[in-house]
């Protein structure tokens, strides 16, 4: 699961791999996205919405957060790289609009949204600069963006446990928070707020922990390598090597960069 890329795959392959993996998670996502929901709530809480605003939700997945945004404004559009996710979201919330599209090439006209919201999706892009440039492009003057992006340092407990158990690395490399900040340097987006927060996701056992990653579509390989499910012996070795929190649980961390931007 979650193989570590040794090289950057071509953007076309990377995009297809991400879409396929998240597509397979379309009907297991909500049952396994506990920490993602907490992060999304923290991302939404500073939002001050007006009824006439038009909002874009990048990485809308099953549409749960999109539907919450829609309670406060006239129009919310969800966009997701996976057509299966778009289909699932449309079935759950037929009154809302969901579109298949890439965060690095958004299928919308320039200056068409008052606000862009994205929680735990942009970490999968190939280029932070391209993704932020697209956010800037679709925002109207005076518009804002509320973003939560998983960054380097996430899942470090799993990385360490695999090393101690003598297993090959298996966690995707992620862009650092500094890389995302630097990508804003040449854009007319002002940083109103920036903070890094560590979210901890506790589990009773290793199967539950790994399921929380793979069943939300996060087990990605950008090099085309096939991952092999861990056998019982490897699962036991990994669980023994994994650090326990004070309650004796296996707690994995998600390092998240929260950004509030204004155009």
């Amino acid at each position: 699961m979650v193989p570590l890329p040794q090289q950057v795959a071509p953007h076309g392959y990377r995009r297809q791999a991400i879409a396929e993996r998240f597509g397979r998670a379309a009907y297991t996502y909500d049952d396994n996205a506990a920490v993602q929901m907490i992060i999304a709530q923290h991302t939404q809480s500073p939002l001050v919405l007006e009824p006439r605003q038009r909002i874009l939700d990048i990485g809308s997945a099953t549409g749960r957060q999109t539907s919450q945004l829609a309670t406060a404004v006239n129009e919310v559009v969800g966009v997701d790289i996976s057509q299966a996710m778009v289909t699932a979201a449309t079935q759950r919330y037929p009154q809302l609009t969901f579109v298949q599209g890439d965060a690095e090439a958004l299928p919308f006209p320039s200056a068409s949204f008052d606000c862009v919201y994205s929680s735990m999706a942009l970490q999968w892009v190939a280029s932070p600069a391209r993704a932020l440039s697209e956010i800037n492009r679709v925002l109207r003057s005076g518009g804002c963006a509320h973003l939560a992006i998983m960054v380097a340092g996430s899942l470090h407990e799993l990385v360490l446990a695999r090393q101690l158990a003598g297993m090959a690395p298996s966690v995707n490399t992620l862009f650092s928070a500094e890389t995302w900040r630097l990508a804003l340097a040449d854009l007319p987006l002002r940083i109103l707020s920036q903070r890094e927060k560590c979210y901890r996701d506790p589990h009773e056992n290793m199967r539950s922990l790994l399921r929380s990653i793979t069943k939300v579509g996060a087990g990605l390989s950008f090099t085309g390598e096939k991952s092999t499910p861990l056998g019982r012996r490897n699962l036991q070795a990994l669980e023994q090597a994994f650090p326990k929190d004070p309650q004796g649980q296996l707690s994995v961390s998600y390092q998240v960069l929260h950004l509030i931007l204004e155009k």
Side-chain angles (χ1 to χ4, degrees), residues 25-31 60-65 67 84-96 98:
Y27 294 96
T28 59
Y29 185 92
D30 284 353
D31 291 336
S60 49
T62 60
R64 183 152 59 173
Q65 298 305 313
S67 69
M85 282 289 195
V86 169
T87 299
T90 301
Q91 290 172 349
R92 289 183 172 100
Y93 308 102
Q95 75 279 15
L96 301 179
F98 296 94

Side-chain angles (χ1 to χ4, degrees), residues 90-110:
T90 301
Q91 290 172 349
R92 289 183 172 100
Y93 308 102
Q95 75 279 15
L96 301 179
T97 300
F98 296 94
V99 178
Q100 191 277 329
D102 188 344
E104 297 174 77
L106 292 169
F108 306 105
S110 297

Side-chain angles (χ1 to χ4, degrees), residues 119-227:
S119 183
M120 295 294 282
L122 293 177
Q123 62 265 17
W124 305 120
V125 302
S127 168
R130 278 201 301 264
L132 290 171
S133 179
E134 278 294 275
I135 289 172
N136 174 67
R137 182 183 65 80
V138 301
L139 272 178
R140 294 167 179 158
S141 179
C144 64
H146 287 246
L147 314 176
I149 307 164
M150 188 164 67
V151 295
S154 297
L155 310 180
H156 67 86
E157 299 90 350
L158 183 56
V159 174
L160 177 60
R162 289 189 69 96
Q163 290 175 348
L164 294 174
M167 299 178 187
S170 69
V171 176
N172 280 321
T173 53
L174 295 169
F175 293 107
S176 68
E178 184 61 18
T179 297
W180 282 96
R181 294 188 192 99
L182 290 173
L184 287 164
D186 297 325
L187 294 173
L189 293 172
R190 184 163 64 99
I191 299 176
L192 298 182
S193 173
Q194 58 175 313
R195 65 187 179 101
E196 289 184 60
K197 181 175 175 62
C198 181
Y199 296 84
R200 304 194 67 80
D201 187 26
H203 294 271
E204 295 293 334
N205 54 59
M206 185 54 60
R207 287 188 184 275
S208 172
L209 188 151
L210 296 180
R211 183 180 176 86
S212 75
I213 298 172
T214 60
K215 294 302 182 180
V216 298
L220 293 173
S221 170
F222 300 144
T223 62
E225 299 176 11
K226 295 292 185 181
S227 59

